[in-house]
């Protein structure tokens, strides 16, 4: 006898936030490389402007630090969040706390980033606030990641 899911059973697949991020990524992929750096930066700034206050303030500072430390990177959206690419490949990205109802925002680095350090190193950093020293550390990480 075949079994069917009851309508009231809880779905154990992707969360609504994860499905939304996948839809964002599909749109970004369809757009491809047709957009100019200025266009993609405007999209990033618009996404940042739409964030809740705490996330927006962090994202604005991260954007300023990354674009200052590595002006050769192209700001773009990646899964609906601000990201920075080198030669079309995402090097680092910001994820707001609200995006996945997380405790804190994060700054992550992809495997494209030149941050390898021995056998173990961090690829993502939790961010609750940014001091001048934190911004300098992030700028150093970004410069290393690009090298």
């Amino acid at each position: 006898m075949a079994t069917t899911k009851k309508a009231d059973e809880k779905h154990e697949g992707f969360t609504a936030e994860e499905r939304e991020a996948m839809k964002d990524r599909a749109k970004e992929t369809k757009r491809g490389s047709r957009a100019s750096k200025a266009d993609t930066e405007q999209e990033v700034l618009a996404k940042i402007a739409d964030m809740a206050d705490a996330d927006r303030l962090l994202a604005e500072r991260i954007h300023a630090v990354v674009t200052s430390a590595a002006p050769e990177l192209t700001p773009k959206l990646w899964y609906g969040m601000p990201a920075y690419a080198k030669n079309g490949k995402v090097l680092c990205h910001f994820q707001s706390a609200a995006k996945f109802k997380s405790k804190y925002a994060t700054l992550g680095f992809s495997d494209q980033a030149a941050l390898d350090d021995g056998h173990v190193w961090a690829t993502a950093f939790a961010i609750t606030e940014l001091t001048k020293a934190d911004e300098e550390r992030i700028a150093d990480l970004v410069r290393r990641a690009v090298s």
Side-chain angles (χ1 to χ4, degrees), residues 78-100:
W78 190 58
Y79 291 94
M81 288 284 104
Y84 305 87
K86 178 180 178 182
N87 300 324
K89 303 220 182 222
V90 170
L91 202 69
C92 62
H93 65 280
F94 175 82
Q95 183 176 295
S96 69
K99 179 74 174 183
F100 296 106

Side-chain angles (χ1 to χ4, degrees), residues 15-130:
T15 65
E17 295 79 16
E18 290 166 334
R19 287 192 301 277
E20 182 68 28
M22 287 185 285
K23 287 177 187 175
D24 287 339
R25 183 67 186 133
K27 288 179 203 170
E28 295 155 11
T29 302
K30 283 181 185 175
R31 184 169 187 192
S33 59
R34 296 185 308 259
S36 71
K37 184 174 180 177
D39 289 341
T40 58
E41 182 162 23
Q42 287 308 309
E43 291 172 350
V44 167
L45 293 173
K47 183 60 83 170
I48 290 171
D50 286 344
M51 292 179 184
D53 288 347
D55 286 330
R56 182 180 42 75
L57 293 172
L58 291 173
E60 287 171 345
R61 292 305 312 140
I62 293 292
H63 180 77
V65 169
V66 171
T67 56
S68 176
E72 66 272 29
L73 295 180
T74 302
K76 62 187 276 180
L77 293 178
W78 190 58
Y79 291 94
M81 288 284 104
Y84 305 87
K86 178 180 178 182
N87 300 324
K89 303 220 182 222
V90 170
L91 202 69
C92 62
H93 65 280
F94 175 82
Q95 183 176 295
S96 69
K99 179 74 174 183
F100 296 106
K101 300 176 183 170
S102 179
K103 182 177 178 180
Y104 39 75
T106 58
L107 175 65
F109 291 88
S110 75
D111 60 350
Q112 301 296 310
L115 295 177
D116 301 28
D117 185 15
H119 299 286
V120 178
W121 59 90
T123 59
F125 299 86
I127 304 170
T128 56
E129 65 178 76
L130 288 171

